[in-house]
C-alpha cells in the first residue's frame, strides 16, 4: 500500500502530538482493564479448603468450570486445584486423572521460555501458569502421595524423585538464612543488575521430597536408596532426624501424611504491584504432631515441611528479574518515547517515539506480578509411620502449636502384606463447625460394609438409607439390601429396585473413577447436599468430615422417594 | 518546534501493528519439551524385545516338538524416574504377549505366553482385561506356567542446571525357569530422551 493509499484510508491524517495522547488513553483503557482482569486467587476455593469443606470445594470448582484446553494459561492450575482437592477429600482414585495431567505439564520444560523479553511487556498473569518452584515441588509431592494412596509405590517413588530438582541459590543473608525474595530484589535493584545473575545451582533442601522418596524405596525393598534419601533429608533439614529414625526402625504398615494449616498468600506489592511476596496465613512454629492409637501415645514427630519458610526464600521463587525490570523499563520507555515524539522534527524519530510510548505504556500498565497461586496447599506437613495391624483402630492426631488442631480417625487399619503399607493423606483444619466432626471419634453414618473382629460395624439407624431418614450411606449392593430387609424394610425389593430409587433422586452410585464418563469427578456427597454416594477413602479427612459429622435430614427430590419416606414415617415398611 | 502535520507512513504503522502483535502474541500455550516415555517408546520396546527373544539361541534351537514353555508374564516394574501408569505397564505386557513374533513362537517353538494368573484376576475385576483378548483368545490362565517373564524399567537422569535434561531409560526383560530358578534369557532395551528449556518455566 502506498503512502497515498494509506492517506486515503485515513481521511483525517493525525499528527503525532494528537496521536500520543490518543494512544495513551486507548492503551490505558485497554490494558488497564487487562491488568485488573479475572486471573485472581479463587477466594471461594480458599475459604472452603481452609474450613475443610473439600467436597464443597470440589463442587465449586466443577460448577465454576475447569479449564479443559491444554493450551490455555490456566490449564495446569485448574488441574492442580481439582486434583489436590480430590486428594484432600480422600478420593485418590478420582484424583488420578487431573494429577496425571498435572504431572504431564510439570514435566514439560521451557513452556514459557523464549518469552522473557515479551513478559516484560505484558502482565505475568497472562503467562502459562506453572507455579513457583516451591509449588512445583509440592505438586510432585502431592502426586507422590496420591500414587502411594493407591498402592502405586513405584510411581510414588518417581513422582517424589521429580520434586528434588536443582535450585538457584542466591546465598545467605547476614543472619545465615537463605536470602529472601525481597533481599535479593533489593540488592539487584541497588546494583542495577538482573536478578538472575549471581546465583549458583545447588541441591534442593526439600526434605519432604527426600523422605517420600526414601519411604517409597523402603516399600519397594530398595534399602540402599531408601537410606541414601533418608540421610540426605537429615542433611538438608536436621530437624527431621526423629522422623527418619522412626521410619528406619521398620515394622510399619501405615504411613500418615498429615498436612496442617493454610498456604501463605501470594501478595502483590510495589508501585504498580509488580513485586510479589508471600505472607503467612498460618503461623510457623515447631509444634510436633502427637499421635495416639486407641488412646495410647504412639509418636511425637516434628514437621518435615514449612511452606512459609520455603515461599519466602529466593531460591524457591522465580522470575524476580522480570518483575523488578518491568516497572523500570515501562517508566523509561514512556518518558523517553514521549520526549522524542514531542520534540523531534524528524518524522521517523517521531514515529519511533510514538512506538516507545505505546510499548512503555503497555509495560507500565501491565506491570504487575502474577496473583495466581495454588490455594489448596498447606502451611506444613508431617510424616508418621504406624503399625496398626488388621483391626480397626482409632487414631488421634493433634498439633498444639500456636493454632491447635486435632482430628480423630475412627476405624483405620494397616496395609496388608500383599498390598504393602497403607498410605493415608489427611489435612487437619480448624474453623467454625470443625470440632464436632474432627474430635467426635466415632461414626454417625455408615459409609461402607466395615467388618471388625468378624462382625459388621454398625451405626445406629444404618438399616435404612439416609435418603429415607436413616443413617446408611452405603452404596447399594445385595448385602446392603439384605441388611435393610433384615430390619423389615424393602420386602420383595431387588437390588435393581434400590438402584432405581437412587437414580430417581439423581444420586450417583457408580464408584468407577472414570469421572462419570463426562470428564467430571463426582461432586459433593449427598450428606453435604450433593448428588453422589461415592465415599472418600477410610481414614481421610473427607471420610471423617462426612461420616463422623452430623448432617441435616435429607430432603427428597423425587416424588417416588418423597412418597416412600412419607410411608416409612407413617410406620410403613 | 514546528507544528507541521505528520502523516504516519505505512511501514511505521505496520511496525506498530507488529509490535502490538508481538506483545499480545505471548498469550497462550507453548508446547515445551519433555523426557517422558511415550506410547511409541513402549510399542518400540515390545517389538524389539520380541525380535530379540525370537533370535535368542535358547529359543532358536527349539522346535514344535520341544517340551512346552508356558511363560507367565508379570506386570513390568517401574524403577525409572518417570511415572508409568498401571495401564501403560499392562499395555506393554499386552503388546509383548499379543505381538506377532511371540505368537509365532507358539507355533514354531512351542512357547506360550500368558498373563500371570494371580494378576489376571485383579485385572479382570478392575475391568482392564476381559475374558479374552481382542482376538477372542483366552489369556492362557488354564495352563500351568513353567517360566516367568519379568520386566524392569530403570533410568538415569542427567540435568544441566535447569535448562536441559536427558533421561536414559533401560528396560530389562528376564525369563526364569520356575522350578529351577534358572535365568534362561535376559536382554536390555534402551530409550534415550532429551529435552531443553528451563525446567521450572
Amino acid at each position: 500500500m502506498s503512502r497515498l493509499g494509506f492517506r486515503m484510508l485515513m481521511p483525517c491524517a493525525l499528527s503525532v502530538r494528537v496521536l500520543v495522547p490518543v494512544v495513551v488513553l486507548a492503551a490505558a483503557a485497554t490494558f488497564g482493564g487487562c491488568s485488573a482482569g479475572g486471573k485472581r486467587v479463587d477466594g471461594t476455593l480458599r475459604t472452603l479448603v481452609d474450613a475443610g469443606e473439600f467436597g464443597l470445594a470440589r463442587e465449586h470448582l466443577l460448577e465454576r468450570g475447569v479449564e479443559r484446553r491444554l493450551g490455555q494459561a490456566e490449564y495446569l492450575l485448574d488441574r492442580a486445584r481439582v486434583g489436590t482437592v480430590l486428594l484432600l477429600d480422600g478420593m485418590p482414585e478420582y484424583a488420578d486423572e487431573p494429577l496425571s495431567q498435572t504431572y504431564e505439564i510439570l514435566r514439560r520444560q521451557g513452556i514459557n521460555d523464549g518469552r522473557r523479553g515479551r513478559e516484560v511487556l505484558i502482565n505475568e498473569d497472562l503467562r502459562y501458569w506453572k507455579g513457583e518452584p516451591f509449588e512445583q515441588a509440592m505438586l510432585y509431592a502431592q502426586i507422590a502421595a496420591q500414587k502411594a494412596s493407591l498402592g502405586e509405590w513405584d510411581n510414588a517413588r518417581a513422582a517424589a524423585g521429580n520434586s528434588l530438582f536443582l535450585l538457584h541459590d542466591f546465598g545467605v543473608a547476614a543472619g545465615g538464612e537463605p536470602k529472601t525474595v525481597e533481599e535479593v530484589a533489593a540488592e539487584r535493584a541497588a546494583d542495577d543488575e538482573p536478578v538472575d545473575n549471581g546465583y549458583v545451582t545447588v541441591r534442593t533442601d526439600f526434605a519432604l521430597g527426600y523422605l517420600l522418596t526414601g519411604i517409597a524405596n523402603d516399600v519397594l525393598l530398595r534399602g540402599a536408596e531408601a537410606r541414601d534419601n533418608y540421610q540426605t533429608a537429615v542433611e538438608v533439614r536436621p530437624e527431621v532426624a526423629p522422623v527418619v529414625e522412626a521410619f528406619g526402625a521398620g515394622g510399619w504398615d501405615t504411613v500418615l501424611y498429615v498436612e496442617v494449616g493454610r498456604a501463605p498468600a501470594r501478595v502483590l506489592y510495589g508501585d504498580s504491584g509488580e513485586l510479589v511476596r508471600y505472607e503467612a496465613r498460618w503461623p510457623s512454629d515447631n509444634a510436633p504432631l502427637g499421635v495416639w492409637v486407641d488412646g495410647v501415645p504412639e509418636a511425637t514427630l516434628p514437621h518435615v515441611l514449612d511452606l512459609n519458610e520455603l515461599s519466602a526464600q529466593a531460591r524457591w521463587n522465580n522470575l524476580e528479574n522480570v518483575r523488578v525490570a518491568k516497572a523500570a523499563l515501562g517508566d523509561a520507555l514512556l518518558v523517553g518515547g514521549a520526549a522524542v515524539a514531542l520534540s523531534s522534527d524528524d518524522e521517523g524519530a517521531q514515529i519511533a517515539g510514538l512506538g516507545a510510548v505505546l510499548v512503555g505504556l503497555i509495560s507500565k500498565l501491565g506491570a504487575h506480578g502474577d496473583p495466581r497461586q495454588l490455594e489448596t496447599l498447606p502451611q506444613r506437613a508431617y510424616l508418621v509411620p504406624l503399625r496398626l495391624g488388621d483391626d480397626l483402630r482409632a487414631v488421634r492426631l493433634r498439633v498444639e502449636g500456636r493454632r491447635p488442631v486435632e482430628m480423630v480417625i475412627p476405624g483405620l487399619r494397616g496395609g496388608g502384606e500383599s498390598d504393602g503399607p497403607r498410605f493415608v493423606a489427611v489435612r487437619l483444619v480448624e474453623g467454625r463447625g470443625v470440632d464436632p466432626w474432627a474430635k467426635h471419634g466415632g461414626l454417625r453414618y455408615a459409609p461402607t460394609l466395615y467388618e471388625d473382629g468378624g462382625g459388621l460395624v454398625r451405626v445406629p439407624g444404618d438399616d435404612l438409607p439416609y435418603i429415607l431418614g436413616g443413617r446408611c450411606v452405603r452404596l447399594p449392593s445385595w448385602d446392603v439390601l439384605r441388611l435393610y430387609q433384615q430390619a423389615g424394610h424393602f420386602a420383595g425389593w431387588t437390588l435393581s429396585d434400590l438402584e432405581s430409587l437412587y437414580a430417581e433422586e439423581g444420586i450417583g452410585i457408580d464408584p468407577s473413577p472414570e469421572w462419570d464418563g463426562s470428564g467430571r469427578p463426582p461432586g459433593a456427597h449427598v450428606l453435604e447436599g450433593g448428588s453422589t454416594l461415592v465415599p472418600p477413602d477410610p481414614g481421610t479427612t473427607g471420610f471423617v468430615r462426612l461420616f463422623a459429622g452430623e448432617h441435616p435430614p435429607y430432603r427428597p427430590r423425587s416424588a417416588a422417594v418423597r412418597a416412600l419416606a412419607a410411608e416409612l414415617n407413617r410406620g410403613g415398611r | 518546534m514546528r507544528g507541521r502535520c505528520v502523516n504516519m507512513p505505512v511501514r511505521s504503522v505496520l511496525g506498530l501493528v507488529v509490535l502490538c502483535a508481538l506483545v499480545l502474541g505471548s498469550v497462550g500455550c507453548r508446547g515445551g519439551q519433555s523426557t517422558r516415555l511415550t506410547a511409541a517408546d513402549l510399542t518400540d520396546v515390545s517389538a524389539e524385545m520380541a525380535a530379540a527373544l525370537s533370535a535368542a539361541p535358547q529359543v532358536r534351537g527349539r522346535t514344535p516338538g520341544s517340551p512346552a514353555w508356558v511363560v507367565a508374564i508379570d506386570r513390568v516394574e517401574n524403577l525409572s524416574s518417570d511415572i508409568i501408569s498401571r495401564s501403560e505397564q499392562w499395555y506393554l505386557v499386552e503388546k509383548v504377549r499379543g505381538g506377532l513374533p511371540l505368537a509365532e513362537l507358539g507355533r514354531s517353538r512351542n512357547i506360550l505366553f500368558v498373563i500371570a494368573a494371580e494378576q489376571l484376576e485383579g485385572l479382570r475385576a478392575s475391568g482392564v482385561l476381559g475374558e479374552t483378548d481382542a482376538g477372542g483368545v483366552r489369556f492362557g490362565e488354564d495352563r500351568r506356567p513353567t517360566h516367568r517373564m519379568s520386566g524392569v524399567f530403570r533410568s538415569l537422569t542427567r540435568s544441566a542446571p535447569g535448562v536441559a535434561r536427558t533421561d536414559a531409560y533401560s528396560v530389562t526383560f528376564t525369563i526364569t525357569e520356575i522350578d529351577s530358578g534358572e535365568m534362561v534369557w535376559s536382554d536390555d532395551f534402551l530409550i534415550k530422551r532429551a529435552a531443553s528449556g528451563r525446567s521450572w518455566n
Side-chain angles (χ1 to χ4, degrees):
Chain A
M1 185 189 294
S2 68
R3 184 174 292 196
L4 179 61
F6 176 72
R7 281 178 181 160
M8 289 170 71
L9 287 175
M10 288 187 69
C12 178
L14 299 174
S15 76
V16 168
R17 290 188 184 84
V18 173
L19 215 50
V20 167
V22 169
V23 167
V24 166
L25 287 172
T30 304
F31 295 98
C34 186
S35 69
K39 309 286 196 313
R40 290 288 180 269
V41 167
D42 187 334
T44 306
L45 175 64
R46 175 178 276 177
T47 303
L48 290 169
V49 168
D50 287 351
E53 296 290 353
F54 307 130
L56 297 179
R58 187 170 74 244
E59 185 87 13
H60 158 73
L61 286 172
L62 296 174
E63 277 183 4
R64 80 143 166 75
V66 174
E67 180 56 68
R68 297 195 177 284
R69 294 162 297 175
L70 175 66
Q72 293 305 303
E74 305 277 300
Y75 177 85
L76 174 59
L77 181 55
D78 272 357
R79 303 282 104 181
R81 283 167 169 157
V82 173
T84 52
V85 163
L86 281 163
L87 181 63
L88 278 173
D89 206 29
M91 303 184 117
E93 278 189 83
Y94 290 90
D96 200 50
E97 185 172 326
L99 288 183
S100 293
Q101 291 160 339
T102 298
Y103 176 79
E104 173 66 33
I105 302 293
L106 285 176
R107 282 292 312 274
R108 291 193 197 183
Q109 50 197 91
I111 288 177
N112 287 306
D113 276 2
R115 302 173 53 246
R116 304 182 82 189
R118 286 179 290 181
E119 283 158 18
V120 175
L121 306 174
I122 200 159
N123 298 348
E124 276 185 35
D125 52 9
L126 294 178
R127 299 173 75 248
Y128 199 92
W129 186 89
K130 209 178 169 196
E132 298 290 344
F134 78 87
E135 289 174 302
Q136 293 176 16
M138 278 303 290
L139 274 172
Y140 280 123
Q142 299 277 314
I143 294 166
Q146 181 258 334
K147 296 295 182 191
S149 297
L150 296 181
E152 294 184 19
W153 287 98
D154 52 352
N155 285 328
R157 172 184 170 276
N162 275 291
S163 73
L164 302 175
F165 48 80
L166 299 170
L167 299 176
H168 288 169
D169 184 41
F170 294 90
V172 295
E177 294 296 314
K179 284 180 187 165
T180 65
V181 173
E182 287 171 287
E183 285 166 342
V184 173
E187 278 177 10
R188 295 302 186 269
D191 299 343
D192 196 23
E193 278 184 16
V195 169
D196 61 351
N197 279 358
Y199 63 80
V200 292
T201 304
V202 295
R203 178 178 71 174
T204 178
D205 58 353
F206 192 57
L208 173 62
Y210 288 113
L211 289 168
L212 287 171
T213 308
I215 293 164
N217 275 296
D218 235 346
V219 176
L220 295 168
L221 305 178
R222 297 169 58 80
E225 196 173 334
R227 282 192 296 278
D228 190 32
N229 279 281
Y230 288 151
Q231 187 179 329
T232 310
V234 176
E235 285 171 13
V236 299
R237 193 176 178 90
E239 303 94 306
V240 305
V243 180
V244 166
E245 198 177 316
F247 278 99
W252 34 275
D253 60 11
T254 304
V255 178
L256 290 181
Y257 168 63
V258 183
E259 295 183 338
V260 173
R262 302 162 184 176
R266 189 176 167 97
V267 176
L268 306 185
Y269 71 106
D271 289 345
S272 52
E274 74 278 12
L275 295 166
V276 174
R277 68 165 172 251
Y278 286 87
E279 291 182 355
R281 295 195 305 132
W282 189 276
S284 293
D285 60 44
N286 292 320
L289 170 71
V291 183
W292 293 258
V293 176
D294 290 340
V296 178
E298 189 70 25
T300 304
L301 291 172
H303 63 71
V304 300
L305 168 88
D306 181 341
L307 269 197
N308 290 343
E309 193 180 283
L310 259 55
S311 63
Q313 294 174 6
R315 60 165 70 175
W316 282 103
N317 281 268
N318 186 17
L319 288 173
E320 286 307 305
N321 53 331
V322 175
R323 294 178 193 129
V324 172
K326 190 181 291 177
L329 182 63
D331 286 339
L333 288 172
L334 194 57
V335 173
V340 168
L342 295 173
S343 64
S344 176
D345 289 341
D346 179 76
E347 180 179 330
Q350 287 178 329
I351 298 301
L354 179 61
V357 167
L358 181 59
V359 173
L361 193 67
I362 293 170
S363 173
K364 186 65 188 162
L365 291 171
H368 67 76
D370 184 349
R372 293 170 297 176
Q373 72 170 125
L374 183 57
E375 305 89 343
T376 56
L377 295 177
Q379 181 266 322
R380 70 180 78 173
Y382 299 84
L383 281 164
V384 186
L386 290 174
R387 176 154 195 84
L388 297 178
D390 294 336
D391 294 334
L392 292 174
R393 319 288 290 274
V395 179
R396 178 176 168 233
L397 308 168
R398 182 171 175 84
V399 177
E400 288 293 343
R402 291 162 65 184
R403 293 176 77 162
V405 282
E406 180 176 332
M407 186 170 82
V408 183
I409 302 170
L412 187 62
R413 55 166 54 108
E417 286 199 1
S418 59
D419 302 334
R422 180 185 303 277
F423 187 98
V424 183
V426 300
R427 171 78 61 89
L428 303 188
V429 293
E430 68 157 18
R432 253 186 334 179
V434 169
D435 278 2
W437 57 260
K439 295 182 180 176
H440 178 61
L443 294 178
R444 290 187 164 109
Y445 297 86
T448 181
L449 288 171
Y450 252 135
E451 289 206 355
D452 193 23
L456 191 66
V457 175
R458 301 297 300 266
V459 173
D462 71 349
D463 51 11
L464 194 62
Y466 169 66
I467 63 169
L468 293 172
R471 295 258 169 179
C472 179
V473 282
R474 301 177 182 106
L475 292 167
S477 69
W478 278 112
D479 290 334
V480 170
L481 179 59
R482 197 171 301 123
L483 196 72
Y484 299 154
Q485 291 176 335
Q486 283 167 356
H489 306 302
F490 301 109
W493 279 49
T494 65
L495 177 58
S496 177
D497 294 333
L498 186 58
E499 289 172 344
S500 298
L501 193 69
Y502 283 108
E504 285 270 333
E505 278 295 276
I507 294 172
I509 55 172
D510 182 4
S512 157
E514 294 301 321
W515 282 46
D516 203 20
S518 58
R520 283 171 60 98
H525 194 272
V526 70
L527 284 174
E528 51 194 348
S531 296
T532 184
L533 212 57
V534 176
D537 282 359
T540 60
T541 308
F543 183 91
V544 179
R545 185 194 73 247
L546 283 175
F547 307 126
E550 193 62 71
H551 303 280
Y554 184 75
R555 300 175 66 168
R557 302 162 194 167
S558 70
V561 171
R562 263 196 304 272
L564 197 54
E567 187 185 330
L568 285 164
N569 271 339
R570 288 195 301 270
R573 293 277 162 151
Chain B
M1 187 191 302
R2 288 183 303 170
R4 81 181 168 86
C5 184
V6 177
N7 291 324
M8 298 182 75
V10 173
R11 269 184 308 182
S12 302
V13 171
L14 286 177
L16 279 177
V17 170
V18 168
L19 188 64
C20 290
L22 187 70
V23 170
L24 296 173
S26 56
V27 179
C29 177
R30 282 83 2 219
Q33 295 182 8
S34 174
T35 60
R36 292 204 65 195
L37 287 166
T38 65
D41 293 329
L42 300 183
T43 303
D44 290 348
V45 161
S46 68
E48 282 179 42
M49 177 269 169
L53 179 60
S54 303
Q58 305 91 319
V59 171
R60 274 209 333 250
R62 291 175 56 83
T63 68
S66 299
W69 279 12
V70 179
V71 182
I73 311 178
D74 287 324
R75 174 173 58 80
V76 293
E77 188 180 6
N78 176 25
L79 297 178
S80 79
S81 58
D82 193 17
I83 288 178
I84 305 174
S85 70
R86 288 291 181 264
S87 60
E88 288 168 332
Q89 293 175 13
W90 282 111
Y91 170 84
L92 179 61
V93 168
E94 255 310 276
K95 276 282 176 193
V96 168
R97 195 195 71 86
L100 274 179
L102 293 200
E104 174 56 27
L105 291 181
R107 287 183 287 275
S108 60
R109 307 279 187 254
N110 201 15
I111 300 176
L112 178 67
F113 289 86
V114 301
I115 292 176
E118 63 270 24
Q119 309 225 18
L120 195 57
E121 195 178 324
L123 286 169
R124 282 183 172 145
S126 60
V128 173
L129 292 180
E131 285 303 307
T132 63
D133 67 14
V137 179
R138 287 183 65 80
F139 292 97
E141 62 271 34
D142 306 330
R143 308 289 296 273
R144 180 182 169 274
T146 58
H147 295 72
R148 291 199 88 94
M149 185 167 84
S150 62
V152 181
F153 273 89
R154 293 186 175 82
S155 68
L156 179 67
T157 302
R158 288 267 180 245
S159 295
V163 293
R165 170 173 170 156
T166 303
D167 282 275
Y169 297 93
S170 77
V171 195
T172 306
F173 283 101
T174 303
I175 296 180
T176 308
E177 190 178 28
I178 292 174
D179 286 344
S180 66
E182 183 189 354
M183 185 176 74
V184 296
W185 175 80
S186 183
D187 209 343
D188 285 336
F189 305 90
L190 302 177
I191 306 162
K192 188 174 172 185
R193 294 187 61 80
S196 62
R198 292 179 176 83
S199 57
W200 67 87
N201 208 12

